[in-house]
Coordinates of all heavy atoms in Angstrom, one line a residue:
I538 N 16.1 14.7 32.0 CA 16.6 13.3 32.0 C 17.2 13.1 33.5 O 18.0 13.9 33.9 CB 17.7 13.1 31.0 CG1 17.2 13.3 29.6 CG2 18.3 11.7 31.2 CD1 18.2 13.3 28.6
S539 N 16.7 12.0 34.0 CA 17.1 11.8 35.4 C 18.5 11.1 35.4 O 19.0 10.6 34.4 CB 16.1 10.9 36.1 OG 16.0 9.7 35.4
Q540 N 19.1 11.0 36.6 CA 20.4 10.4 36.7 C 20.3 8.9 36.5 O 19.4 8.3 37.0 CB 20.9 10.8 38.1 CG 22.3 10.2 38.4 CD 22.7 10.5 39.8 OE1 22.1 11.2 40.6 NE2 23.9 9.9 40.2
I541 N 21.2 8.4 35.8 CA 21.3 6.9 35.6 C 22.2 6.3 36.6 O 23.4 6.6 36.7 CB 21.7 6.6 34.2 CG1 20.7 7.1 33.2 CG2 21.8 5.0 34.0 CD1 21.0 7.0 31.8
V542 N 21.7 5.4 37.4 CA 22.6 4.8 38.5 C 23.3 3.5 37.9 O 22.9 3.0 36.8 CB 21.7 4.3 39.7 CG1 21.1 5.5 40.4 CG2 20.6 3.4 39.3
A543 N 24.3 3.1 38.6 CA 25.2 2.0 38.1 C 24.5 0.7 37.7 O 24.8 0.1 36.7 CB 26.3 1.8 39.0
D544 N 23.5 0.3 38.6 CA 22.8 -0.9 38.3 C 21.5 -0.8 37.4 O 20.7 -1.7 37.4 CB 22.6 -1.7 39.6 CG 21.7 -0.9 40.5 OD1 21.5 0.3 40.3 OD2 21.1 -1.5 41.5
D545 N 21.3 0.3 36.8 CA 20.2 0.6 36.0 C 20.3 -0.3 34.8 O 21.3 -0.3 34.1 CB 20.2 2.1 35.6 CG 18.8 2.5 35.1 OD1 18.3 1.7 34.2 OD2 18.3 3.5 35.4
P546 N 19.2 -1.0 34.5 CA 19.2 -1.9 33.3 C 19.3 -1.1 32.0 O 19.6 -1.7 30.9 CB 18.0 -2.7 33.3 CG 17.1 -1.9 34.3 CD 18.0 -1.1 35.2
V547 N 19.0 0.2 32.0 CA 19.0 1.0 30.8 C 20.5 1.4 30.6 O 21.1 2.1 31.4 CB 18.2 2.3 30.9 CG1 18.3 3.2 29.7 CG2 16.7 1.9 31.1
D548 N 21.1 1.0 29.4 CA 22.5 1.4 29.1 C 22.6 2.4 28.0 O 23.7 2.8 27.7 CB 23.3 0.2 28.9 CG 22.9 -0.5 27.6 OD1 21.9 -0.2 27.0 OD2 23.6 -1.5 27.3
R549 N 21.5 2.8 27.4 CA 21.6 3.7 26.3 C 20.2 4.5 26.2 O 19.2 3.9 26.4 CB 21.8 3.0 25.0 CG 22.0 3.9 23.8 CD 22.3 3.2 22.6 NE 22.5 4.1 21.4 CZ 22.0 3.8 20.2 NH1 21.4 2.7 20.0 NH2 22.2 4.7 19.2
L550 N 20.4 5.8 26.1 CA 19.2 6.7 26.0 C 19.3 7.6 24.9 O 20.4 8.2 24.6 CB 19.0 7.5 27.3 CG 17.9 8.3 27.5 CD1 16.6 7.4 27.6 CD2 18.0 9.2 28.8
V551 N 18.3 7.7 24.0 CA 18.3 8.5 22.8 C 17.2 9.5 23.0 O 16.1 9.3 23.2 CB 18.1 7.7 21.5 CG1 18.0 8.5 20.3 CG2 19.1 6.5 21.4
T552 N 17.6 10.8 22.9 CA 16.6 11.9 22.9 C 16.3 12.3 21.4 O 17.1 12.2 20.5 CB 17.2 13.1 23.6 OG1 18.4 13.6 23.0 CG2 17.4 12.8 25.1
V553 N 15.0 12.6 21.3 CA 14.5 12.8 19.9 C 13.8 14.2 19.9 O 13.1 14.6 20.8 CB 13.5 11.8 19.5 CG1 12.9 12.0 18.2 CG2 14.1 10.4 19.6
D554 N 14.1 14.9 18.8 CA 13.4 16.2 18.6 C 12.6 16.1 17.3 O 12.5 15.1 16.7 CB 14.3 17.4 18.7 CG 15.4 17.4 17.6 OD1 15.2 16.6 16.6 OD2 16.5 18.0 17.8
Q555 N 12.2 17.2 16.7 CA 11.4 17.2 15.6 C 12.1 17.4 14.3 O 11.6 17.5 13.2 CB 10.3 18.4 15.7 CG 9.3 18.1 16.8 CD 8.4 17.0 16.6 OE1 7.9 16.8 15.5 NE2 8.3 16.1 17.5
K556 N 13.5 17.4 14.3 CA 14.2 17.6 13.1 C 14.1 16.4 12.2 O 14.0 15.3 12.7 CB 15.7 17.8 13.4 CG 16.0 19.1 14.1 CD 17.5 19.3 14.3 CE 17.8 20.2 15.4 NZ 19.1 20.0 16.1
P557 N 14.2 16.5 10.8 CA 14.2 15.4 10.0 C 15.3 14.4 10.4 O 16.5 14.9 10.7 CB 14.4 16.0 8.6 CG 14.0 17.4 8.7 CD 14.3 17.8 10.1
I558 N 15.1 13.2 10.3 CA 16.1 12.2 10.8 C 16.8 11.5 9.7 O 17.8 10.7 10.0 CB 15.5 11.2 11.8 CG1 14.4 10.4 11.1 CG2 15.0 11.9 13.0 CD1 13.8 9.3 12.0
G559 N 16.4 11.6 8.4 CA 17.1 10.9 7.4 C 16.9 11.5 6.1 O 16.2 12.5 6.0
R560 N 17.5 10.9 5.1 CA 17.5 11.4 3.7 C 16.3 10.9 3.0 O 15.9 11.5 2.0 CB 18.8 11.0 3.0 CG 20.0 11.8 3.4 CD 21.1 11.4 2.6 NE 21.4 10.0 2.7 CZ 22.4 9.4 3.3 NH1 23.3 10.1 3.9 NH2 22.6 8.1 3.4
T561 N 15.7 9.9 3.4 CA 14.5 9.4 2.7 C 13.3 9.4 3.7 O 13.4 9.3 4.9 CB 14.7 7.9 2.2 OG1 14.5 7.0 3.3 CG2 16.1 7.7 1.6
P562 N 12.1 9.4 3.1 CA 10.9 9.3 4.0 C 10.7 8.0 4.7 O 9.9 7.9 5.5 CB 9.7 9.6 3.0 CG 10.3 9.5 1.6 CD 11.7 9.6 1.7
R563 N 11.5 7.0 4.3 CA 11.4 5.7 4.9 C 12.2 5.7 6.2 O 12.0 4.8 7.0 CB 11.9 4.6 4.0 CG 11.0 4.4 2.8 CD 11.5 3.2 2.0 NE 12.7 3.5 1.3 CZ 12.8 4.2 0.1 NH1 11.7 4.5 -0.5 NH2 14.0 4.4 -0.4
S564 N 13.0 6.6 6.5 CA 13.8 6.7 7.8 C 12.8 7.0 8.9 O 11.9 7.8 8.7 CB 14.8 7.8 7.7 OG 15.8 7.6 6.8
N565 N 12.9 6.3 10.0 CA 12.1 6.5 11.1 C 13.0 6.3 12.3 O 14.2 6.0 12.3 CB 10.8 5.6 11.1 CG 11.2 4.2 11.2 OD1 12.0 3.7 12.0 ND2 10.6 3.4 10.2
L566 N 12.4 6.5 13.5 CA 13.1 6.5 14.7 C 13.8 5.1 14.9 O 15.0 5.0 15.4 CB 12.2 6.7 15.9 CG 12.8 6.8 17.3 CD1 13.8 8.0 17.2 CD2 11.7 7.0 18.3
A567 N 13.1 4.0 14.5 CA 13.7 2.7 14.7 C 14.9 2.4 13.7 O 15.8 1.7 14.2 CB 12.6 1.6 14.5
T568 N 14.8 2.8 12.5 CA 15.9 2.6 11.6 C 17.1 3.6 11.9 O 18.2 3.1 11.9 CB 15.4 2.9 10.1 OG1 15.0 4.2 10.0 CG2 14.4 1.9 9.7
Y569 N 16.8 4.8 12.3 CA 17.8 5.7 12.6 C 18.7 5.4 13.8 O 19.9 5.5 13.8 CB 17.2 7.1 12.8 CG 18.3 8.2 12.8 CD1 18.9 8.7 11.7 CD2 18.6 8.8 14.0 CE1 19.9 9.7 11.7 CE2 19.5 9.9 14.1 CZ 20.1 10.3 12.9 OH 21.1 11.2 13.0
T570 N 18.0 4.9 14.8 CA 18.7 4.5 16.0 C 19.4 3.1 16.0 O 20.1 2.8 16.9 CB 17.8 4.5 17.3 OG1 16.7 3.6 17.1 CG2 17.2 5.9 17.5
G571 N 19.0 2.3 14.9 CA 19.6 1.0 14.8 C 18.7 0.0 15.5 O 19.0 -1.2 15.5
L572 N 17.6 0.3 16.1 CA 16.7 -0.6 16.8 C 16.2 -1.6 15.8 O 16.1 -2.8 16.1 CB 15.6 0.2 17.5 CG 14.4 -0.7 18.0 CD1 14.9 -1.5 19.2 CD2 13.3 0.2 18.5
F573 N 15.9 -1.1 14.6 CA 15.3 -2.0 13.6 C 16.2 -3.1 13.1 O 15.9 -4.1 12.6 CB 14.7 -1.3 12.4 CG 13.5 -1.9 11.8 CD1 12.4 -2.2 12.5 CD2 13.6 -2.4 10.5 CE1 11.3 -2.9 11.9 CE2 12.6 -3.1 9.9 CZ 11.4 -3.3 10.6
D574 N 17.6 -2.9 13.2 CA 18.6 -3.9 12.9 C 18.3 -5.2 13.8 O 18.3 -6.3 13.2 CB 20.0 -3.4 13.1 CG 20.3 -2.3 12.1 OD1 19.7 -2.1 11.1 OD2 21.3 -1.6 12.5
A575 N 18.1 -5.0 15.0 CA 17.8 -6.1 15.9 C 16.5 -6.8 15.6 O 16.4 -8.0 15.7 CB 17.8 -5.6 17.4
V576 N 15.4 -6.0 15.2 CA 14.2 -6.6 14.8 C 14.3 -7.5 13.6 O 13.9 -8.6 13.5 CB 13.1 -5.5 14.6 CG1 11.9 -6.0 14.0 CG2 12.9 -4.7 15.9
R577 N 15.1 -6.9 12.5 CA 15.3 -7.7 11.3 C 16.1 -8.9 11.6 O 15.8 -10.0 11.1 CB 16.1 -6.8 10.3 CG 15.3 -5.8 9.6 CD 16.0 -5.2 8.4 NE 17.1 -4.3 8.9 CZ 16.9 -3.0 9.0 NH1 15.8 -2.4 8.8 NH2 17.9 -2.3 9.4
A578 N 17.1 -8.9 12.5 CA 17.9 -10.1 12.8 C 17.0 -11.1 13.5 O 17.2 -12.3 13.3 CB 19.1 -9.6 13.7
A579 N 16.1 -10.6 14.4 CA 15.2 -11.5 15.2 C 14.3 -12.2 14.2 O 14.1 -13.5 14.3 CB 14.4 -10.7 16.2
F580 N 13.7 -11.5 13.2 CA 12.9 -12.2 12.2 C 13.7 -13.1 11.4 O 13.2 -14.2 11.1 CB 12.3 -11.1 11.3 CG 11.1 -10.4 11.9 CD1 11.0 -9.0 11.7 CD2 10.1 -11.0 12.6 CE1 9.9 -8.3 12.2 CE2 9.1 -10.4 13.1 CZ 8.9 -9.0 12.9
A581 N 14.9 -12.8 11.0 CA 15.7 -13.6 10.1 C 16.1 -14.9 10.9 O 16.4 -15.9 10.2 CB 16.9 -12.9 9.6
A582 N 16.2 -14.9 12.2 CA 16.6 -16.0 13.0 C 15.5 -17.0 13.2 O 15.7 -18.1 13.8 CB 17.2 -15.5 14.3
T583 N 14.3 -16.7 12.9 CA 13.1 -17.6 13.1 C 13.3 -18.9 12.2 O 13.8 -18.8 11.1 CB 11.8 -16.9 12.8 OG1 11.7 -16.6 11.4 CG2 11.5 -15.8 13.7
P584 N 12.8 -20.0 12.6 CA 12.9 -21.2 11.8 C 12.3 -21.1 10.5 O 12.8 -21.6 9.5 CB 12.2 -22.3 12.7 CG 12.4 -21.8 14.1 CD 12.3 -20.3 14.0
A585 N 11.2 -20.4 10.4 CA 10.5 -20.2 9.1 C 11.4 -19.4 8.1 O 11.4 -19.7 7.0 CB 9.1 -19.5 9.3
A586 N 12.0 -18.3 8.6 CA 12.9 -17.5 7.8 C 14.1 -18.3 7.4 O 14.5 -18.2 6.2 CB 13.2 -16.2 8.5
R587 N 14.7 -19.0 8.3 CA 15.9 -19.8 8.0 C 15.6 -20.9 7.0 O 16.4 -21.2 6.1 CB 16.5 -20.4 9.3 CG 17.0 -19.3 10.2 CD 17.3 -19.8 11.6 NE 18.2 -21.0 11.6 CZ 19.5 -20.9 11.9 NH1 20.0 -19.7 12.1 NH2 20.3 -21.9 11.9
S588 N 14.5 -21.6 7.1 CA 14.2 -22.6 6.2 C 13.9 -22.1 4.8 O 14.1 -22.8 3.8 CB 12.9 -23.4 6.7 OG 11.8 -22.7 6.5
R589 N 13.5 -20.8 4.7 CA 13.3 -20.2 3.4 C 14.5 -19.5 2.9 O 14.5 -18.9 1.7 CB 12.1 -19.3 3.4 CG 10.8 -19.9 3.7 CD 9.6 -18.9 4.0 NE 8.4 -19.5 4.0 CZ 7.9 -20.2 5.1 NH1 8.6 -20.3 6.2 NH2 6.6 -20.7 5.0
G590 N 15.6 -19.4 3.7 CA 16.8 -18.7 3.3 C 16.7 -17.2 3.3 O 17.4 -16.5 2.6
F591 N 15.7 -16.6 4.1 CA 15.6 -15.2 4.2 C 16.6 -14.6 5.1 O 16.7 -15.0 6.3 CB 14.2 -14.9 4.8 CG 13.0 -15.3 3.8 CD1 11.7 -15.2 4.3 CD2 13.3 -15.6 2.5 CE1 10.6 -15.5 3.5 CE2 12.2 -15.9 1.7 CZ 10.9 -15.9 2.1
G592 N 17.4 -13.7 4.7 CA 18.3 -13.0 5.5 C 17.6 -11.7 6.2 O 16.4 -11.5 5.9
A593 N 18.4 -10.9 6.9 CA 17.8 -9.8 7.5 C 17.3 -8.7 6.6 O 16.3 -8.1 6.8 CB 18.9 -9.2 8.4
G594 N 17.9 -8.7 5.4 CA 17.5 -7.8 4.4 C 16.1 -8.0 3.9 O 15.4 -7.1 3.4
R595 N 15.7 -9.2 3.9 CA 14.3 -9.6 3.5 C 13.3 -8.9 4.4 O 12.1 -8.6 4.0 CB 14.1 -11.1 3.7 CG 12.7 -11.7 3.3 CD 12.6 -11.7 1.9 NE 11.2 -12.1 1.5 CZ 10.9 -12.6 0.3 NH1 11.8 -12.8 -0.6 NH2 9.7 -13.0 0.0
F596 N 13.6 -8.5 5.6 CA 12.7 -7.8 6.5 C 12.9 -6.3 6.5 O 12.5 -5.7 7.5 CB 12.8 -8.5 7.9 CG 12.5 -10.0 7.8 CD1 13.5 -10.9 7.7 CD2 11.2 -10.4 7.8 CE1 13.2 -12.3 7.7 CE2 10.9 -11.7 7.6 CZ 11.9 -12.7 7.6
S597 N 13.6 -5.8 5.5 CA 13.8 -4.3 5.5 C 12.8 -3.7 4.5 O 12.5 -4.3 3.4 CB 15.2 -4.0 5.0 OG 15.3 -2.6 4.7
F598 N 12.2 -2.6 4.8 CA 11.3 -1.9 3.9 C 12.1 -0.9 3.0 O 11.6 -0.1 2.3 CB 10.2 -1.2 4.6 CG 10.5 -0.4 5.8 CD1 11.1 0.8 5.7 CD2 10.3 -1.0 7.0 CE1 11.4 1.5 6.9 CE2 10.6 -0.3 8.2 CZ 11.2 0.9 8.1
N599 N 13.4 -1.0 3.0 CA 14.3 -0.2 2.2 C 14.9 -1.0 1.0 O 15.4 -0.5 0.1 CB 15.4 0.5 2.9 CG 14.9 1.6 3.8 OD1 14.1 2.4 3.4 ND2 15.5 1.7 5.0
V600 N 14.8 -2.4 1.1 CA 15.5 -3.3 0.2 C 14.5 -4.0 -0.7 O 13.5 -4.5 -0.2 CB 16.4 -4.2 1.0 CG1 17.1 -5.1 0.1 CG2 17.4 -3.5 1.9
A601 N 14.9 -4.0 -2.0 CA 14.0 -4.8 -2.9 C 14.1 -6.2 -2.4 O 15.1 -6.7 -2.1 CB 14.6 -4.7 -4.3
G602 N 12.9 -6.9 -2.4 CA 12.8 -8.3 -2.0 C 12.2 -8.3 -0.6 O 11.6 -9.2 -0.2
G603 N 12.4 -7.2 0.2 CA 11.8 -7.1 1.5 C 10.6 -6.0 1.5 O 9.6 -6.2 2.2
R604 N 10.8 -5.0 0.7 CA 9.8 -4.0 0.8 C 8.6 -4.2 -0.2 O 8.7 -5.1 -1.1 CB 10.5 -2.7 0.3 CG 10.9 -2.7 -1.2 CD 11.6 -1.4 -1.5 NE 12.1 -1.5 -2.9 CZ 13.0 -0.7 -3.5 NH1 13.5 0.2 -2.7 NH2 13.3 -0.9 -4.7
C605 N 7.6 -3.4 -0.1 CA 6.5 -3.5 -1.0 C 6.9 -2.7 -2.3 O 7.4 -1.6 -2.2 CB 5.3 -2.8 -0.4 SG 4.0 -2.4 -1.5
E606 N 6.8 -3.4 -3.4 CA 7.3 -2.8 -4.6 C 6.3 -1.8 -5.2 O 6.6 -1.0 -6.1 CB 7.7 -3.8 -5.7 CG 8.9 -4.6 -5.3 CD 10.2 -3.7 -5.1 OE1 10.3 -2.8 -5.9 OE2 10.9 -4.0 -4.2
T607 N 5.1 -1.7 -4.7 CA 4.1 -0.7 -5.1 C 4.5 0.6 -4.7 O 4.5 1.6 -5.4 CB 2.7 -1.2 -4.7 OG1 2.4 -2.4 -5.3 CG2 1.7 -0.1 -5.2
C608 N 4.8 0.7 -3.4 CA 5.1 2.0 -2.8 C 6.6 2.2 -2.5 O 7.0 3.2 -1.9 CB 4.3 2.3 -1.5 SG 4.6 1.1 -0.2
L609 N 7.4 1.2 -2.8 CA 8.8 1.1 -2.5 C 9.1 1.4 -1.0 O 10.1 2.0 -0.6 CB 9.6 2.2 -3.3 CG 9.4 2.0 -4.9 CD1 10.2 3.1 -5.6 CD2 9.9 0.6 -5.3
G610 N 8.3 0.8 -0.1 CA 8.5 0.9 1.3 C 8.0 2.2 1.9 O 8.2 2.3 3.2
E611 N 7.4 3.1 1.2 CA 7.0 4.3 1.8 C 5.7 4.3 2.5 O 5.4 5.1 3.3 CB 7.0 5.5 0.7 CG 8.4 5.8 0.2 CD 8.4 7.0 -0.7 OE1 7.5 7.9 -0.5 OE2 9.2 7.1 -1.6
G612 N 4.8 3.3 2.2 CA 3.6 3.1 2.9 C 2.4 4.0 2.3 O 1.3 3.8 2.6
S613 N 2.8 4.8 1.3 CA 1.7 5.5 0.6 C 2.2 5.7 -0.8 O 3.4 5.6 -1.2 CB 1.5 6.9 1.2 OG 2.7 7.7 1.2
V614 N 1.2 5.9 -1.7 CA 1.6 6.2 -3.1 C 1.0 7.6 -3.5 O -0.1 8.0 -3.0 CB 1.0 5.1 -4.1 CG1 1.7 3.8 -3.8 CG2 -0.5 4.9 -3.8
T615 N 1.6 8.2 -4.5 CA 1.2 9.5 -4.9 C 0.1 9.3 -6.0 O 0.2 8.5 -6.9 CB 2.3 10.3 -5.6 OG1 3.4 10.4 -4.7 CG2 1.9 11.7 -6.0
V616 N -1.0 10.0 -5.8 CA -2.1 9.9 -6.8 C -2.1 11.2 -7.6 O -2.4 12.3 -7.0 CB -3.5 9.7 -6.1 CG1 -4.6 9.6 -7.1 CG2 -3.4 8.4 -5.3
E617 N -1.8 11.1 -8.9 CA -1.8 12.4 -9.7 C -3.2 12.6 -10.1 O -3.9 11.8 -10.7 CB -0.9 12.1 -10.9 CG 0.6 11.9 -10.6 CD 1.3 13.1 -10.0 OE1 0.8 14.2 -10.1 OE2 2.3 12.9 -9.3
L618 N -3.7 13.9 -9.9 CA -5.0 14.2 -10.3 C -4.9 15.3 -11.4 O -4.1 16.3 -11.3 CB -5.8 14.8 -9.1 CG -6.0 13.8 -8.0 CD1 -6.6 14.5 -6.8 CD2 -6.8 12.6 -8.4
L619 N -5.6 15.2 -12.5 CA -5.4 16.0 -13.6 C -5.6 17.5 -13.4 O -4.7 18.3 -13.7 CB -6.4 15.6 -14.8 CG -6.1 16.1 -16.2 CD1 -4.6 15.7 -16.6 CD2 -7.1 15.5 -17.2
F620 N -6.7 17.9 -12.7 CA -7.0 19.3 -12.5 C -6.9 19.8 -11.1 O -7.1 20.9 -10.7 CB -8.4 19.7 -13.1 CG -8.5 19.4 -14.6 CD1 -9.2 18.4 -15.1 CD2 -7.8 20.2 -15.5 CE1 -9.4 18.2 -16.4 CE2 -7.9 20.0 -16.8 CZ -8.6 19.0 -17.3
L621 N -6.4 18.9 -10.3 CA -6.3 19.2 -8.8 C -4.9 18.8 -8.3 O -4.2 18.1 -9.0 CB -7.3 18.3 -8.0 CG -8.8 18.6 -8.3 CD1 -9.7 17.5 -7.6 CD2 -9.2 20.0 -7.7
P622 N -4.5 19.4 -7.2 CA -3.2 19.0 -6.7 C -3.1 17.5 -6.4 O -4.1 16.9 -6.1 CB -3.1 19.8 -5.4 CG -4.1 20.9 -5.5 CD -5.2 20.3 -6.4
G623 N -1.9 16.9 -6.6 CA -1.7 15.5 -6.3 C -2.1 15.2 -4.9 O -2.1 16.1 -4.0
S624 N -2.3 13.9 -4.6 CA -2.7 13.5 -3.3 C -1.9 12.2 -3.0 O -1.4 11.6 -3.9 CB -4.2 13.3 -3.3 OG -4.6 12.9 -1.9
Y625 N -1.9 11.8 -1.7 CA -1.3 10.5 -1.3 C -2.4 9.6 -0.9 O -3.4 10.0 -0.2 CB -0.4 10.8 -0.1 CG 0.9 11.5 -0.5 CD1 0.9 12.9 -0.4 CD2 2.0 10.9 -1.1 CE1 2.1 13.6 -0.8 CE2 3.1 11.6 -1.5 CZ 3.1 12.9 -1.3 OH 4.2 13.6 -1.7
A626 N -2.2 8.3 -1.2 CA -3.1 7.3 -0.8 C -2.3 6.2 0.0 O -1.2 5.9 -0.4 CB -3.8 6.6 -2.0
L627 N -2.9 5.7 1.1 CA -2.3 4.7 1.9 C -2.1 3.5 1.0 O -3.0 3.1 0.3 CB -3.2 4.4 3.1 CG -2.5 3.9 4.4 CD1 -1.4 5.0 4.8 CD2 -3.5 3.7 5.4
C628 N -1.0 2.8 1.0 CA -0.7 1.6 0.2 C -1.2 0.4 1.0 O -1.0 0.3 2.1 CB 0.8 1.5 -0.1 SG 1.2 0.0 -1.0
Ligands
ZN918 ZN1 3.2 -0.6 -0.2

């Protein structure tokens, strides 16, 4: 990591390694660092979202009402196979 100078526009730097970052498979770099909070707020502030009464939670893949209820926001579903090991299918 290089030295950050006083007038550098970057005020926060997050280093990432390969360790698991959350308790659920829905956790990702954007949710863990809080970046996705800003994305949800930006979506909720659009005129279309405001006219429909959608809050920031509507744009979360962890919350009912915002997530896909088929895969519960995981992006894949488990496919149980009778005589073979289970598999995952993209939702
Ligand atoms: Zn889904």
Side-chain angles (χ1 to χ4, degrees):
I538 299 172
S539 61
Q540 179 182 357
I541 298 174
V542 295
D544 60 346
D545 194 315
V547 177
D548 62 357
R549 185 172 178 225
L550 185 65
V551 178
T552 56
V553 178
D554 60 20
Q555 295 294 315
K556 292 182 202 156
I558 58 174
R560 289 181 299 253
T561 77
R563 290 183 294 274
S564 294
N565 63 50
L566 188 59
T568 59
Y569 188 75
T570 59
L572 172 66
F573 208 64
D574 294 341
V576 172
R577 283 191 289 266
F580 281 139
T583 62
R587 290 165 60 96
S588 72
R589 290 170 175 83
F591 294 168
R595 178 79 183 198
F596 300 97
S597 170
F598 43 81
N599 287 320
V600 178
R604 70 183 174 195
C605 168
E606 289 303 319
T607 301
C608 64
L609 302 179
E611 291 188 29
S613 62
V614 291
T615 305
V616 179
E617 299 292 341
L618 301 171
L619 196 55
F620 298 110
L621 295 169
S624 182
Y625 290 94
L627 211 57
C628 180

